[in-house]
Amino acid sequence: RFYLTEPGFHSLRDRAHTTHRASWQSVLQKLRALQQDPPPAPAQKRRAQNEVGIAIAEAALAYKIEGDKRYLDAAIKYLDAAVSYDIWGYANNQPNVDLAAGHLLYGMGWGYDLLYHDLSETERARYREKISKQARLLFDYYKPKPGRSYSYSQNHVFIPMAGLGVAAYALYDEVTDAPEWAKLARAIYDRVLATYSPDGYYYEGFEYWIFSTPWLVHY
């Protein structure tokens, strides 16, 4: 409804099956959601929940381009896994407000929007409720308050904010406080981009450049 409209899908499908076919086939062969089942709750292994968020986004887009129900079923399986995690992230370290929360809000927001017309009313309500719950926890943690400061160049700030922004736009017309989530993400990202090195350098090194900087593009 928001990130891609039907004309946009037509264009992507054409490219995926003609000019960009080789690249797209490479993507389909590596889809996380078709290679293994999502980790069961509480999924506390390092970065396990991050992978669930990315898998949702991949499978949802694959379904909208290919129309193969395998991809829809895989996306729903991973969406259900994300809902089953009571805590997003690590129970003993910044639960619900750190990297996993950003990944899962991104994946669920992206998946919810792409699959909106392919989901039942019950599924939409269930996913919308979970997205809203987690987005509010993240928003309340990051909203401005006396003494609150932000490390704008830190991926532990801009990854959660990317997820919050993506989820906010996906639910913008359905959840009354979603515009407030969007405003906060936009305000913080204004400074994230202002503090990011103009030559692309990332101060935590090459490995974290690979992990972190794509989120600037996601947002």
Side-chain angles (χ1 to χ4, degrees):
R1 302 179 308 146
F2 179 76
Y3 289 114
L4 282 170
T5 61
E6 198 54 41
F9 285 127
H10 289 317
S11 174
L12 279 180
R13 289 177 191 128
D14 287 344
R15 291 163 58 196
H17 299 143
T18 56
T19 57
H20 290 65
R21 187 178 186 281
S23 297
W24 178 240
Q25 288 301 311
S26 176
V27 170
L28 292 180
Q29 291 168 13
K30 299 173 184 176
L31 290 180
R32 291 166 173 81
L34 265 67
Q35 293 179 348
Q36 61 187 23
D37 288 334
Q44 293 291 292
K45 186 178 178 181
R46 185 172 185 261
R47 293 187 178 179
Q49 294 186 19
N50 297 9
E51 291 292 297
V52 172
I54 299 300
I56 294 169
E58 290 178 342
L61 183 60
Y63 173 69
K64 296 306 292 187
I65 291 180
E66 294 298 315
D68 187 331
K69 192 172 182 295
R70 289 185 306 149
Y71 302 132
L72 175 61
D73 292 343
I76 289 175
K77 181 185 291 187
Y78 270 74
L79 281 162
D80 288 342
V83 174
S84 76
Y85 304 149
D86 182 54
I87 293 174
W88 277 8
Y90 306 120
N92 62 349
N93 184 21
Q94 292 188 290
N96 298 313
V97 298
D98 200 20
L99 300 178
H103 282 72
L104 287 168
L105 280 174
Y106 166 76
M108 286 200 74
W110 181 233
Y112 180 87
D113 188 64
L114 263 64
L115 302 176
Y116 188 87
H117 298 296
D118 302 290
L119 300 171
S120 68
E121 288 282 356
T122 300
E123 287 170 329
R124 283 200 295 267
R126 185 165 177 254
Y127 301 148
R128 185 169 58 244
E129 180 180 350
K130 180 61 170 176
I131 294 169
S132 299
K133 174 186 175 181
Q134 299 295 152
R136 288 175 183 133
L137 290 171
L138 194 60
F139 174 82
D140 287 342
Y141 178 78
Y142 273 97
K143 67 183 179 183
K145 56 180 73 74
R148 187 68 168 93
S149 61
Y150 306 92
S151 299
Y152 296 112
S153 63
Q154 240 300 325
N155 71 89
H156 286 266
V157 172
F158 63 71
I159 291 178
M161 284 298 102
L164 184 65
V166 167
Y169 291 125
L171 300 185
Y172 204 89
D173 60 344
E174 295 185 292
V175 178
T176 55
D177 50 339
E180 295 304 311
W181 314 339
K183 288 179 184 178
L184 179 63
R186 175 65 181 83
I188 289 178
Y189 252 86
D190 180 67
R191 290 146 182 84
V192 169
L193 298 178
T195 56
Y196 189 76
S197 176
D199 65 1
Y201 170 78
Y202 189 61
Y203 62 89
E204 289 192 89
F206 179 69
E207 181 188 5
Y208 268 81
W209 186 93
I210 294 171
F211 178 75
S212 300
T213 56
W215 288 91
L216 306 180
V217 180
H218 291 326
Y219 179 76

